[in-house]
């Protein structure tokens, strides 16, 4: 990595605003003299013990003993080396950097990357002008308005319009080569504009540098198939490393110590417009290691809110499993079927307040997916046995007990050294509900007046299919010896029961 000249380092440090940088991580208030105090961003504390000296650009925590200058603060909070920290500061406060001479190959690679960043930024400007200044873009502006995306928020995210032609020619006129345009993903193999006429979403890295684009289909005769198409993978753009909107949400994520991860770009835009600022999108896929690494520099608290369809459910599951394995505190925000965050951004804070813990959501998911009650118990037990005791675990145990109508006291041993004994419980406990159904039907056979009560209950009131058939035969006067023998034979195995909760047969629906 090339060495930054000492003069550039001094200029970057001199331009840095210590208060602005630290305030992005923790709230500061005036203390004695010129010093400011706040809660330490490096450890949990209730009483502020983190001191900042704005004049000398120094910090010190009297609680954990961590201290240093503005460069070390950026290195610690952004997880950067010295060069990366100086570049971060220089970019934040618009300080041009000069580098010492390095190997010709390294210097050439650095300059190449800088030119790729430059051409991508100019492309974003080109698309912006097409959207806001072109008369032909009026339908696209109307489309944004119909989605309740204001011009102000659209400009903040630098939305644009690809006209399908003109970009490559304009870039070449500015001195960029055909190879640079191909590497940046702006032209195809023929040298023409890569993107047809589409709504353009610039994709930026954590530092706000544009590395690619996502383009939304506008016309049915679009030559590209996908509704959304990304820039091709290249030197700068790697889809698995990008979190849409992270460069705008970084400060809010760090300050609020939480990140909301949604699926689509428009979800991010709608929520930010509604005042929910610590929000990013996972580029339409489950969270990746690289995305989690970026988020882990800012917070350990994640809220996941993906679409409620099957694909969104799978993405939520994969993302939360990986995040939990990485040590994040994960909560899941559920939406009504067919709805995504962009459909109802107002009042989204209430949804965040009601988010389920990872453990509760995972157990609920296993209960819903299991083909029968026996399998539901086994799956939920496997999840719970890996979890340490906590309020979230107790909530999940209560859900399991309620859904399968099991005595809660019998579930306390899951994952606490009694797994072998616990494994024997479901066959006995789950069969109990089936036996209740059998006994209730037998009572109706022995006491005909009870059949009037049975008429008030639908066949779905019974979990066991044989009992449903017996109930129908009893009410229709079609009982025969075979049906009576079947009822007398005893309850079916719990594994054949449906996923409905067992009920005492004569419990009236409310």
């Amino acid at each position: 990595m090339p060495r930054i000249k000492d003069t550039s380092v001094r200029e970057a440090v001199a331009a840095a605003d210590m208060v602005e940088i630290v305030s992005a991580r923790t709230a500061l208030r005036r203390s004695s003299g010129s010093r400011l105090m706040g809660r330490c961003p490096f450890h949990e504390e209730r009483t502020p013990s983190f001191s900042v000296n704005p004049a000398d650009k120094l910090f010190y925590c009297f609680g954990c003993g961590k201290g240093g200058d503005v460069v070390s603060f950026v290195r610690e909070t952004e997880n950067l080396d010295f060069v990366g920290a100086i570049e971060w500061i220089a970019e934040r406060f618009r300080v041009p950097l000069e580098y010492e001479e390095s190997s010709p190959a390294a210097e050439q690679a650095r300059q190449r990357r800088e030119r790729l960043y430059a051409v991508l930024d100019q492309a974003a400007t080109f698309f912006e002008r097409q959207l806001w200044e072109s008369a032909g873009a009026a339908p696209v502006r109307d489309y944004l308005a119909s989605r309740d995306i204001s011009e102000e928020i659209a400009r903040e995210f630098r939305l644009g319009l690809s006209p399908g032609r003109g970009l490559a020619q304009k870039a070449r006129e500015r001195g960029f080569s055909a190879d640079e345009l191909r590497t940046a993903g702006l032209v195809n193999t023929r040298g023409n504009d890569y993107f047809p006429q589409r709504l353009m979403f610039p994709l930026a890295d954590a530092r706000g540098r544009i590395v690619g684009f996502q383009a939304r289909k506008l016309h049915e005769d679009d030559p590209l198939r996908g509704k959304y198409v990304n820039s091709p993978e290249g030197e700068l753009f790697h889809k698995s490393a990008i979190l849409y909107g992270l460069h705008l949400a970084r400060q809010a994520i760090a300050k609020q110590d939480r990140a909301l991860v949604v699926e689509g770009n428009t979800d991010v835009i709608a929520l930010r417009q509604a005042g929910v600022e610590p929000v990013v999108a996972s580029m339409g896929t489950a969270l990746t290691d690289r995305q989690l690494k970026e988020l882990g520099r800012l917070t350990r608290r994640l809220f996941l809110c993906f679409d409620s369809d099957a694909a969104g459910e799978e993405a939520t599951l994969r993302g939360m499993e990986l995040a939990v394995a990485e040590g994040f505190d994960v909560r899941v925000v559920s939406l009504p079927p067919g709805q995504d965050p962009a459909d109802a951004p107002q009042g989204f804070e209430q949804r965040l307040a009601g988010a389920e813990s990872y453990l509760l959501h995972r157990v609920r998911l296993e209960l819903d997916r299991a083909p029968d009650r026996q399998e539901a118990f086994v799956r939920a037990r496997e999840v719970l046995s890996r979890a340490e005791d906590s309020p979230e675990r107790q909530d999940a145990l209560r859900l399991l007990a309620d859904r399968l109508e099991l005595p809660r006291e019998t579930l306390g041993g899951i994952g606490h050294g009694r797994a072998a004994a616990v494994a024997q419980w479901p066959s006995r406990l789950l069969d109990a509900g089936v036996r209740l159904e059998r006994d209730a039907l037998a009572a109706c056979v022995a006491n005909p007046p009870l059949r009037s009560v049975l008429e008030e209950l639908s066949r779905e009131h019974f979990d066991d299919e044989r009992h449903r058939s017996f109930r129908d035969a009893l009410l229709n006067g079609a009982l025969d010896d075979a049906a009576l023998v079947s009822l007398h034979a005893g309850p079916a195995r719990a594994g054949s029961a449906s996923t409905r909760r067992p009920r005492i047969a004569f419990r009236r629906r409310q």
Side-chain angles (χ1 to χ4, degrees):
M1 180 174 290
R3 183 177 183 274
I4 302 173
K5 289 185 177 181
D6 291 340
T7 53
S8 290
V9 172
R10 289 193 292 270
E11 289 172 359
V13 172
D17 186 327
M18 185 70 171
V19 175
E20 180 180 329
I21 292 174
V22 176
S23 294
R25 295 285 179 169
T26 185
L28 297 174
R29 61 176 178 79
R30 185 70 59 181
S31 183
S32 59
S34 61
R35 293 181 179 274
L36 295 95
M37 297 291 293
R39 291 190 179 91
C40 180
F42 301 110
H43 80 285
E44 295 291 334
E45 63 176 3
R46 295 183 178 179
T47 303
S49 60
F50 186 78
S51 174
V52 175
N53 183 335
D56 296 330
K57 302 182 182 181
L58 300 173
F59 70 94
Y60 183 77
C61 177
F62 294 94
C64 67
K66 189 178 289 291
D69 61 8
V70 64
V71 178
S72 59
F73 184 86
V74 171
R75 291 185 64 177
E76 289 284 346
T77 55
E78 301 294 333
N79 194 23
L80 299 170
D81 59 16
F82 179 82
V83 173
I86 295 298
E87 289 178 337
W88 186 94
I89 293 171
E91 187 170 351
R92 179 80 172 266
F93 298 99
R94 301 183 182 279
V95 177
L97 296 178
E98 294 182 358
Y99 294 83
E100 301 283 2
E101 291 186 7
S102 58
S103 69
E107 181 62 20
Q108 184 179 12
R110 186 188 69 80
Q111 291 180 359
R112 176 182 173 84
R113 289 175 66 86
E114 290 300 323
R115 285 185 62 81
L116 293 179
Y117 285 126
V119 72
L120 285 164
D121 191 79
Q122 290 186 28
T125 301
F126 175 83
F127 294 144
E128 286 180 283
R129 288 176 177 169
Q130 292 294 321
L131 175 60
W132 302 113
E133 299 175 12
S134 169
V140 184
R141 295 192 290 268
D142 292 342
Y143 165 76
L144 292 175
S146 72
R147 295 294 304 269
D148 295 323
I149 297 176
S150 69
E151 180 176 341
E152 180 182 2
I153 196 72
R155 287 185 179 276
E156 183 178 17
F157 282 88
R158 300 190 67 181
L159 300 192
L161 172 66
S162 168
R165 55 187 174 83
L167 172 63
Q169 179 181 349
K170 183 72 68 175
R172 284 192 290 266
E173 290 174 358
R174 290 179 175 268
F176 292 99
S177 68
D179 178 66
E180 288 172 331
L181 294 176
R182 278 195 302 271
T183 304
L186 296 175
V187 299
N188 57 27
T189 55
R190 296 182 178 180
N192 300 322
D193 287 11
Y194 182 82
F195 295 103
Q197 189 178 60
R198 285 192 168 216
L199 178 63
M200 304 299 290
F201 296 83
L203 306 175
D205 62 13
R207 291 167 60 177
R209 299 173 299 187
I210 295 176
V211 296
F213 295 90
Q214 186 175 88
R216 188 194 187 281
K217 183 176 181 179
L218 295 172
H219 305 288
E220 290 301 323
D221 59 351
D222 191 306
L224 300 180
R225 292 184 179 181
K227 182 178 180 181
Y228 287 93
V229 173
N230 297 323
S231 294
E233 296 275 322
E235 290 187 25
L236 299 184
F237 178 67
H238 303 282
K239 180 180 177 181
S240 63
I242 298 298
L243 285 161
Y244 183 73
L246 179 61
H247 64 296
L248 297 175
R250 287 179 66 86
Q251 184 170 337
I253 292 173
K255 206 162 190 176
Q256 299 180 27
D257 188 24
R258 60 174 183 162
L260 169 60
V261 184
V262 295
E263 193 170 350
N265 298 354
T266 54
D267 296 327
V268 173
I269 294 172
L271 288 171
R272 186 173 178 86
Q273 183 173 252
V276 182
E277 295 186 345
V279 57
V280 297
S282 62
M283 297 291 294
T285 62
L287 282 168
T288 67
D289 284 315
R290 297 179 68 177
Q291 291 170 337
L292 286 170
K293 183 178 180 180
E294 288 290 349
L295 291 171
R297 295 172 177 173
L298 305 170
T299 184
R300 306 303 294 180
R301 298 174 61 224
L302 298 184
F303 291 78
L304 305 185
C305 183
F306 291 171
D307 290 351
S308 55
D309 58 16
E313 187 177 84
E314 286 299 324
T316 300
L317 180 58
R318 294 195 303 273
M320 70 181 182
E321 288 287 346
L322 184 58
V324 168
E326 294 289 338
F328 285 87
D329 174 15
V330 178
R331 296 189 174 273
V332 180
V333 182
S334 298
L335 295 176
Q339 188 179 95
D340 58 40
D343 295 326
Q346 302 298 331
F348 209 83
E349 285 291 349
Q350 296 179 351
R351 294 192 183 277
L352 292 176
E356 286 187 334
S357 68
Y358 153 76
L359 203 56
L360 182 60
H361 182 83
R362 181 63 192 279
V363 168
R364 187 187 304 281
L365 195 62
E366 296 300 342
L367 293 174
D368 291 340
R369 287 179 163 189
D372 53 61
R373 295 173 59 235
Q374 175 82 16
E375 181 67 17
F377 183 93
V378 172
R379 291 185 181 187
R381 183 188 65 201
E382 182 179 352
V383 173
L384 289 165
S385 65
R386 299 193 299 264
E388 298 292 333
D389 194 25
S390 65
E392 290 78 12
R393 187 177 187 278
Q394 293 302 315
D395 289 341
L397 281 171
R398 281 191 288 271
L399 174 65
L400 175 60
D402 290 344
R403 286 283 293 270
L404 300 184
E405 285 194 352
L406 302 175
R408 294 181 186 177
E409 59 271 13
T410 64
L411 302 180
I414 293 180
H416 295 288
R418 297 204 301 253
V422 172
Q424 303 303 317
W425 293 342
S427 62
R428 298 196 302 270
L429 295 172
L430 301 181
D431 280 347
V434 183
R435 285 195 297 271
L436 283 174
E437 294 181 358
R438 181 200 62 186
D439 294 344
L441 290 170
C444 289
V445 174
N447 300 279
L450 292 176
R451 298 180 190 181
S452 61
V453 180
L454 187 62
E455 291 177 345
E456 300 178 17
L457 306 176
S458 69
R459 70 189 316 271
E460 283 72 23
H461 193 87
F462 296 89
D463 284 326
D464 190 278
E465 181 59 36
R466 293 182 308 170
H467 294 164
R468 295 176 187 173
S469 300
F470 190 92
R471 173 253 182 206
D472 294 342
L474 182 60
L475 292 179
N476 295 331
L479 277 182
D480 54 24
D481 291 341
L484 290 172
V485 169
S486 175
L487 182 66
H488 183 70
R493 292 182 58 83
S496 66
S498 74
T499 55
R500 295 179 179 83
R501 296 170 57 185
R503 297 178 292 269
I504 297 176
F506 283 178
R507 182 184 300 166
R508 286 185 172 87
R509 297 181 185 269
Q510 299 298 319

